[in-house]
Amino acid sequence: MIKFEGVVKTYPNGVQALKGVDLSIEQGEFVCIIGLSGAGKSTLLRSINQMHQITGGKLIVDDVDVSTLKGKDLRRFRRNIGMVFQSFNLVKRTTVIKNVLAARVADMPLWKSLLGLYTKQDKIIALEALDQVGILEKAYSRADQLSGGQQQRVALARTVAQQPKIILADEPVASLDPVTSQQVMSDFVKINKALNITVIANMHHVDIALKYASRIIGVKEGKIIYDGPSLKVTNDILKEIYGRELSDDDLMGA
Ligand code: ADP
C-alpha cells in the first residue's frame, strides 16, 4: 500500500509542486493521474520512488517511510518499483532481449553483468516478460528497428522483468498515435491484472485515462481535487480539473 499523508514538495527554487497531498493506493490498483501541464502529476509520481524527495508530510510504501531511506536501503526499495517513461529509454543499438535483461542486473554481481553472463533463469524471466507484452518474436531484433509502440512494449517488458510490485508510468503513451496508445495501455492493464502489479500512470490524454484506469486522480495546482472511479468522472469534474472545456489535444480522439 502507498500512503501519502499531507505530502508537500517544494523545489529549491521555491515552487511548491505538491501542497498537502493525502492519498492511499492499494496493491493491484490501476490509477491514472490527470491534470494540466504543471499541475504536479510528475512530482507526485516521482516522489513514490524518491526520484524527487518530498519536503513535508509523510510517504509510506508497504509500511516503510520512504523519506528515511538512504544508500543500500533506498536501492533495495527501488528494486520493487519499475518506471516507464514517455521516451522509452531503451539502449537502441542493442537487441530487445539485452534491453530486457538489463532489468536483472541488480540481482547479479557487477562483473557478471559487464560480461553479459546472465543466468538461464534471468533469460527465462526476460523472455516471459516479452511474451506477456506480445513481442517475443522480436527478442533478437535491434531495439531501434522497432516501431514506437513496440519500443514502449520492450520498456514495459523490461520493467516486468524487474519483478516489481509497483509500476510508475510517466506519460507512457504521449509519444504514440491513438491506435498504438490503446494497444500499449491494454498491455499495461494485462500486466496489472495478471501479476497484481500496482500501476500508476500520468496521462495527458483524458479519454485514454478514463478508458483504461479504474481510478482517476485529478490534480490541480499541487492538490488532489478528484479521487474516485473513472466511471464517475463527469464533464463538470473534468472542467474543474482543467479549469476550462477540454480541447481536442486533451482528448486524443482515440
Ligand atoms: P506535471 O507533471 O503535472 O506537468 P510537474 O510535477 O512536472 O507537473 O511540475 C509541477 C510544478 O513544479 C511546475 O510548476 C513545474 O514548473 C515545477 N517543477 C517541476 N520540476 C521542477 C524542478 N526540478 N525544479 C523546479 N521546479 C520544478
Side-chain angles (χ1 to χ4, degrees), residues 11-13 15 17 35-44 52 170 202:
Y11 285 105
N13 64 357
V15 171
L36 285 171
S37 177
K41 304 182 296 295
S42 188
T43 306
L44 196 158
H52 291 321
D170 204 353
N202 283 347

Side-chain angles (χ1 to χ4, degrees), residues 20 23 46 54 61 70 92 148 150 164 176 190 193 237:
L23 176 65
R46 289 165 186 237
I54 62 170
V61 178
K70 286 195 182 69
K92 296 205 168 184
Q150 288 169 334
L176 305 175
K190 201 170 132 196
K193 290 211 175 1
I237 290 170

Side-chain angles (χ1 to χ4, degrees), residues 199-242:
V199 176
I200 310 173
N202 283 347
M203 202 61 63
H204 181 74
H205 296 291
V206 175
D207 46 1
I208 299 232
L210 295 182
K211 182 167 173 185
Y212 292 96
S214 41
R215 176 175 170 191
I216 297 289
I217 293 172
V219 181
K220 186 181 182 182
E221 293 168 6
K223 288 187 183 145
I224 292 178
I225 61 165
Y226 177 80
D227 182 359
S230 324
L231 291 171
K232 291 199 172 162
V233 176
T234 60
N235 279 339
D236 281 347
I237 290 170
L238 291 176
K239 212 170 153 185
E240 209 185 320
I241 295 169
Y242 288 89

Side-chain angles (χ1 to χ4, degrees), residues 10-254:
T10 308
Y11 285 105
N13 64 357
V15 171
Q16 200 173 46
L18 300 177
K19 298 174 181 163
V21 166
D22 294 306
L23 176 65
S24 72
I25 298 173
E26 302 286 341
Q27 185 62 41
E29 284 199 76
F30 195 119
V31 182
C32 275
I33 305 172
I34 61 170
L36 285 171
S37 177
K41 304 182 296 295
S42 188
T43 306
L44 196 158
L45 194 82
R46 289 165 186 237
S47 61
I48 296 171
N49 65 351
Q50 288 284 280
M51 270 174 90
H52 291 321
Q53 289 223 327
I54 62 170
T55 51
K58 219 173 196 184
L59 178 51
I60 312 282
V61 178
D62 290 336
D63 298 323
V64 175
D65 183 343
V66 299
S67 52
T68 63
L69 294 174
K70 286 195 182 69
K72 208 186 247 180
D73 290 339
L74 180 58
R75 284 198 295 279
R76 194 175 301 130
F77 165 76
R78 283 187 174 144
R79 285 288 300 149
N80 286 322
I81 305 183
M83 188 108 199
V84 176
F85 301 91
Q86 175 179 347
S87 51
F88 324 139
N89 289 12
L90 300 181
V91 182
K92 296 205 168 184
R93 296 178 57 166
T94 188
T95 58
V96 163
I97 184 79
K98 279 193 179 156
N99 270 280
V100 178
L101 279 166
R104 307 297 309 156
V105 163
D107 288 341
M108 66 168 64
L110 182 63
W111 67 268
K112 277 198 174 184
S113 71
L114 290 174
L115 291 174
L117 296 175
Y118 297 100
T119 64
K120 205 171 191 177
Q121 182 63 16
D122 283 330
K123 286 181 190 155
I124 289 169
I125 289 170
L127 290 169
E128 273 175 1
L130 284 169
D131 196 21
Q132 258 158 334
V133 298
I135 48 166
L136 182 58
E137 78 280 5
K138 299 284 183 195
Y140 294 96
S141 300
R142 248 172 66 151
D144 58 4
Q145 286 170 349
L146 271 51
S147 68
Q150 288 169 334
Q151 289 192 34
Q152 193 57 304
R153 287 209 179 98
V154 175
L156 180 56
R158 180 180 57 190
T159 305
V160 168
Q162 189 185 325
Q163 299 181 317
K165 291 180 78 176
I166 302 166
I167 294 178
L168 306 176
D170 204 353
E171 301 283 359
V173 298
S175 312
L176 305 175
D177 64 69
V179 174
T180 312
S181 296
Q182 305 251 7
Q183 290 163 349
V184 170
M185 287 307 288
S186 302
D187 284 326
F188 271 94
V189 172
K190 201 170 132 196
I191 295 300
N192 161 255
K193 290 211 175 1
L195 305 173
N196 197 39
I197 298 175
T198 306
V199 176
I200 310 173
N202 283 347
M203 202 61 63
H204 181 74
H205 296 291
V206 175
D207 46 1
I208 299 232
L210 295 182
K211 182 167 173 185
Y212 292 96
S214 41
R215 176 175 170 191
I216 297 289
I217 293 172
V219 181
K220 186 181 182 182
E221 293 168 6
K223 288 187 183 145
I224 292 178
I225 61 165
Y226 177 80
D227 182 359
S230 324
L231 291 171
K232 291 199 172 162
V233 176
T234 60
N235 279 339
D236 281 347
I237 290 170
L238 291 176
K239 212 170 153 185
E240 209 185 320
I241 295 169
Y242 288 89
R244 55 169 165 77
E245 297 287 346
L246 295 186
S247 65
D248 285 348
D249 186 46
D250 299 319
L251 301 167
M252 199 168 204

